[in-house]
């Protein structure tokens, strides 16, 4: 596709449920990032993939959060036993290797609401 | 702790007017600084990217300036349009390597509203 896509665009779930958020990066981009953005705040880093491996997962808030990228393209962010505090916009970004800037291209985000 | 602070927090201006948004950062070492535009409910879209050696960069009606000595940047918008209403986020990258996690540091943004 032309850009990064994320599905679903909106997800409403109940406290304690399990959710999966999907990210389709720009074709050929090897780097993939997940961010979480609360209302009125800038995005906060969650996890970074270089290819299939999670090169840096230091931003994941706790062990309820997990992300995979099994074939080095599509990534899934998984949240177990959701809590109301998990409600936020979840953004995915991808970046090509090389270049001066390593510019990150963001998807439209998934708005997660935990009731 | 690396920080990026933006001002003002929000701004309302009349269509056609100019405005300037400010960004101060403490990120060090510093690789590049970016300005993103984020429409409500959407992902950020890059406007400009500047390395520490660049002082200014333009993208249409958007002009960003950078003073790496004082660690300040500004985004100037000329002849504002209704479609400029959005949040503008200043983002600083501390990492130069092409293969590592950039660990971008995001500001909280300036909410700009253009009124007719």
């Amino acid at each position: 596709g032309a850009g990064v896509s994320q599905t679903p665009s909106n997800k409403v779930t109940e406290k304690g449920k399990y959710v999966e958020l999907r990210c389709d990066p720009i074709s050929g981009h090897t780097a993939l990032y997940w961010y979480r953005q609360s209302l009125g705040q800038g995005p906060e880093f969650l996890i970074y993939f270089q290819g299939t491996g999670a090169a840096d997962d230091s931003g994941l808030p706790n062990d309820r959060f997990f992300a995979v990228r099994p074939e080095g393209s599509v990534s899934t962010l998984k949240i177990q036993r959701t809590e109301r505090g998990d409600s936020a916009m979840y953004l995915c970004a991808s970046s090509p290797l090389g270049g001066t800037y390593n510019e990150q291209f963001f998807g439209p985000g998934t708005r997660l609401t935990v009731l | 702790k690396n920080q990026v602070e933006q001002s003002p927090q929000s701004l309302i201006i009349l269509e056609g007017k100019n405005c300037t948004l400010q960004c101060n950062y403490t990120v060090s070492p510093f690789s590049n600084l970016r300005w993103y535009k984020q429409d409500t409910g959407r992902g950020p879209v890059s406007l400009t990217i500047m390395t520490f050696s660049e002082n200014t960069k333009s993208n249409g009606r958007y002009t960003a300036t950078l003073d790496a000595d004082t660690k300040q940047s500004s985004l100037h918008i000329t002849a504002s349009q209704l479609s400029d209403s959005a949040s503008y986020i200043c983002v600083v990258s501390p990492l130069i390597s092409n293969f590592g996690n950039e660990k971008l540091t995001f500001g909280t943004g300036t909410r700009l509203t253009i009124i007719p």
Side-chain angles (χ1 to χ4, degrees), chain A residues 18-25 30 32-34 46-57 60 64-80 92:
Chain A
Y18 168 83
V19 297
E20 289 189 351
L21 313 179
R22 176 188 169 107
C23 172
D24 282 83
T30 57
L32 186 145
Y33 302 79
W34 281 99
L46 294 177
I47 186 168
Y48 159 67
F49 287 90
Q50 186 57 260
T52 60
D56 185 346
D57 64 359
L60 295 178
R64 295 187 298 104
F65 288 74
F66 188 71
V68 296
R69 195 186 185 199
E71 298 179 356
S73 178
V74 171
S75 177
T76 304
L77 178 66
K78 308 180 180 190
I79 310 174
Q80 299 176 322
C92 174

Side-chain angles (χ1 to χ4, degrees), chain B residues 12-23:
Chain B
I12 301 174
I13 64 171
L14 289 172
E15 183 181 11
K17 298 295 186 182
N18 304 335
C19 66
T20 300
L21 314 181
Q22 301 291 343
C23 173

Side-chain angles (χ1 to χ4, degrees), chain B residues 27-43:
Chain B
V27 177
S28 182
F30 167 74
S31 173
N32 60 73
L33 184 145
R34 314 159 187 208
W35 283 93
Y36 282 88
K37 177 186 179 186
Q38 185 174 24
D39 293 312
T40 301
R42 308 288 296 177

Side-chain angles (χ1 to χ4, degrees), chain B residues 7-79:
Chain B
S7 61
Q9 188 174 17
S10 62
L11 181 64
I12 301 174
I13 64 171
L14 289 172
E15 183 181 11
K17 298 295 186 182
N18 304 335
C19 66
T20 300
L21 314 181
Q22 301 291 343
C23 173
N24 297 329
Y25 62 93
T26 61
V27 177
S28 182
F30 167 74
S31 173
N32 60 73
L33 184 145
R34 314 159 187 208
W35 283 93
Y36 282 88
K37 177 186 179 186
Q38 185 174 24
D39 293 312
T40 301
R42 308 288 296 177
V45 175
S46 179
L47 294 175
T48 63
I49 302 178
M50 292 179 290
T51 67
F52 61 88
S53 62
E54 296 175 291
N55 299 120
T56 185
K57 182 154 292 185
S58 292
N59 178 3
R61 295 180 296 101
Y62 302 101
T63 299
T65 64
L66 174 64
D67 186 333
D69 292 331
T70 61
K71 295 184 168 57
Q72 295 180 326
S73 176
S74 65
L75 180 69
H76 187 72
I77 305 174
T78 58

Side-chain angles (χ1 to χ4, degrees), chain A residues 26-47:
Chain A
I26 293 173
S27 178
H29 281 192
T30 57
L32 186 145
Y33 302 79
W34 281 99
Y35 295 89
R36 179 167 68 174
Q37 185 176 24
S38 301
L39 270 176
Q41 301 295 316
E44 294 181 327
F45 167 78
L46 294 177
I47 186 168

Side-chain angles (χ1 to χ4, degrees), chain A residues 33 35 37 40-43 45 48 50 56 58 89 91 95 97-104 106-109, chain B residues 32 34 36 38 41-44 46 49-51 54 57 89 96-104 106-108:
Chain A
Y33 302 79
Y35 295 89
Q37 185 176 24
Q41 301 295 316
F45 167 78
Y48 159 67
Q50 186 57 260
D56 185 346
S58 61
M89 174 74 85
L91 294 166
S95 176
L97 261 186
T100 304
Y101 302 117
N102 277 349
E103 182 175 356
Q104 294 186 25
F106 284 83
Chain B
N32 60 73
R34 314 159 187 208
Y36 282 88
Q38 185 174 24
R42 308 288 296 177
S46 179
I49 302 178
M50 292 179 290
T51 67
E54 296 175 291
K57 182 154 292 185
I89 304 175
I96 298 175
S97 167
N98 287 338
F99 298 91
N101 180 11
E102 286 197 281
K103 287 189 181 292
L104 298 181
F106 292 78
T108 56

